Amino acid sequence: MTETAPRPTLEAVAERAGVSRATVSRVVNGAQGVREALAERVRRAVEELGYVPNQAARSLVTRRHDAVAVVAAEPETRVFADPYFAQQLRGISKELTAHDNQLVLLLTEGREDHARVGRYLAGGHVDGALVFSLHPDDPLPGLVRGAGVPTVFGGRPGWDDGRDDVVYVDSDNRGGARDAVRHLAGLGRTRVAHITGPLDQTSAADRLAGFRDVRGDAGRGLIARGDFTSGGGERAMRELLDRCPDLDAVFAANDLTAAGALRVLRERGRRVPDDVAVVGFDDMLPVAEQTDPPLTTVRQDIEGMGRLMARLLLRGLDHGTAAGEPAPTGPDTASGVVLPTTLVRRATA
């Protein structure tokens, strides 16, 4: 059995730096009031000795755990298979790492998972939570509030509990959908269909609303329900072709849905974009650039949304508030940030 050397102590750092233990503690915990010359001696001693602060003891002083829970209201099979979540988690992780915070990933698949997550958040293990992929009947918002944990939500909230202090980050889903459908109309397409996402999520509902803003009554009978998966896109595309064989364009609620729709169009002998033009939503490069042909889509900054969620939460924690300080950027957002979208033109439209 290999013996390990004892960990350097606070006292050892104080002796090496020639200062008091209290001075070392203040420097290590980021407190103010230590002259820069002394603080530099302490930092040099910490580096020379390889001192690592005891997190439990540090938390008693700072009342911070330097850990943030990321709660996804989806089963793990979807979170780890969908590149959307990978991009969002990458953005969150980059921002937290830049501020020396740890990411704790919590997934919910059933009621027992909700209870487990609620207990964990209430147990004081993390400083705050980032919650996304919520559904209207999801108990997570109430559990988070009950735990008293500062929170930023990913996506426009779909519930109304009378409170106006909800902080969230979202994309302009409705405006992006309008851009997509107007682009198709500008190409001379007159039978434009829409494959939705799961309509119990606000992003999918907003994209459907954007489609209807442009198509109005002309879109009746040209809407099929999807679920943000490629399999859902295949099923919806078959339904649309059976119902409306003369359709000449499809706006899919996300890129995975569009990829599924493209496979069915190829199976049915429809040429893209000659016979049917297709536009997706997200601009997830592992999907959009590898479809055949490459996918025209609406770009949202998924990784940037993740970074912004983390930034707002950390800013709120630093200011001692339960929320960050986002500046409203849209008519429907009193306490959220809505980021713009951009149409990216490739070969499908």
Side-chain angles (χ1 to χ4, degrees):
M1 181 175 178
T2 303
E3 293 187 3
T4 58
R7 292 176 57 181
T9 63
L10 209 63
E11 289 77 11
V13 175
E15 182 177 353
R16 173 67 67 94
V19 299
S20 69
R21 184 184 187 281
T23 297
V24 174
S25 178
R26 286 198 295 273
V27 173
V28 167
N29 291 312
Q32 303 297 314
V34 178
R35 287 187 290 115
E36 181 56 31
L38 292 181
E40 180 55 33
R41 279 160 53 184
V42 171
R43 287 192 287 268
R44 189 162 52 246
V46 166
E47 183 176 352
E48 291 171 354
L49 293 174
Y51 172 75
V52 178
N54 180 288
Q55 182 59 36
R58 187 171 183 271
S59 295
L60 290 175
V61 176
T62 64
R63 298 183 182 275
R64 292 278 289 271
H65 302 278
D66 294 333
V68 170
V70 177
V71 187
E74 296 289 349
E76 63 180 37
T77 51
R78 176 154 185 229
V79 170
F80 293 120
D82 190 333
Y84 177 92
F85 295 107
Q87 289 188 34
Q88 193 162 50
L89 287 171
R90 183 164 61 240
I92 291 170
S93 179
K94 283 182 178 179
E95 191 67 24
L96 293 180
T97 299
H99 292 84
D100 202 20
N101 274 251
Q102 302 302 313
L103 183 158
V104 180
L105 180 61
L106 304 174
L107 306 178
T108 63
E109 194 159 1
R111 292 288 170 176
E112 64 280 1
D113 292 321
H114 289 121
R116 171 181 55 81
V117 169
R119 289 193 302 270
Y120 184 85
L121 295 177
H125 304 289
V126 294
D127 299 317
L130 303 172
V131 183
F132 56 86
S133 201
L134 288 171
H135 305 265
D137 60 347
D138 206 309
L140 276 174
L143 290 172
V144 172
R145 286 231 172 98
V149 178
T151 305
V152 175
F153 292 94
R156 180 177 62 83
W159 67 90
D160 183 8
D161 57 5
R163 297 180 59 157
D164 59 2
D165 60 346
V166 177
V167 178
Y168 66 91
V169 175
D170 202 1
S171 289
D172 184 8
N173 292 295
R174 189 165 184 166
R178 287 195 293 258
D179 290 342
V181 180
R182 285 171 180 152
H183 174 62
L184 291 169
L187 296 175
R189 309 295 170 142
T190 59
R191 299 283 288 168
V192 182
H194 177 45
I195 302 176
T196 76
L199 295 177
D200 62 343
Q201 291 186 274
T202 56
S203 57
D206 288 347
R207 291 170 200 178
L208 173 58
F211 171 81
R212 285 174 167 159
D213 288 343
V214 179
R215 297 302 296 166
D217 290 341
R220 291 184 183 275
L222 289 170
I223 298 170
R225 182 78 173 259
D227 59 4
F228 281 159
T229 69
S230 60
E234 291 179 0
R235 290 189 296 272
M237 192 71 254
R238 291 191 182 98
E239 175 189 333
L240 285 168
L241 287 173
D242 291 343
R243 191 196 316 155
C244 312
D246 60 340
L247 65 83
D248 59 7
V250 177
F251 166 50
N254 76 341
D255 291 350
L256 287 176
T257 298
L262 286 170
R263 284 194 291 271
V264 172
L265 289 168
R266 190 178 306 111
E267 290 172 4
R268 296 286 185 94
R270 304 300 176 90
R271 297 169 302 165
V272 177
D274 303 71
D275 301 326
V276 181
V278 178
V279 177
F281 201 111
D282 282 339
D283 195 31
M284 295 187 296
L285 297 185
V287 179
E289 290 187 343
Q290 295 179 21
T291 58
D292 183 19
L295 182 66
T296 294
T297 186
V298 177
R299 183 178 191 273
Q300 59 173 337
D301 188 358
I302 302 170
E303 184 174 322
M305 286 194 295
R307 293 199 74 143
L308 183 55
M309 287 174 64
R311 192 175 306 137
L312 291 176
L313 180 66
L314 294 174
R315 183 187 301 172
L317 293 171
D318 289 342
H319 292 176
T321 63
E325 295 182 339
T329 59
D332 59 345
T333 167
S335 54
V337 177
V338 178
L339 301 179
T341 58
T342 306
L343 183 71
V344 179
R345 302 183 185 188
R346 296 191 182 94
T348 60

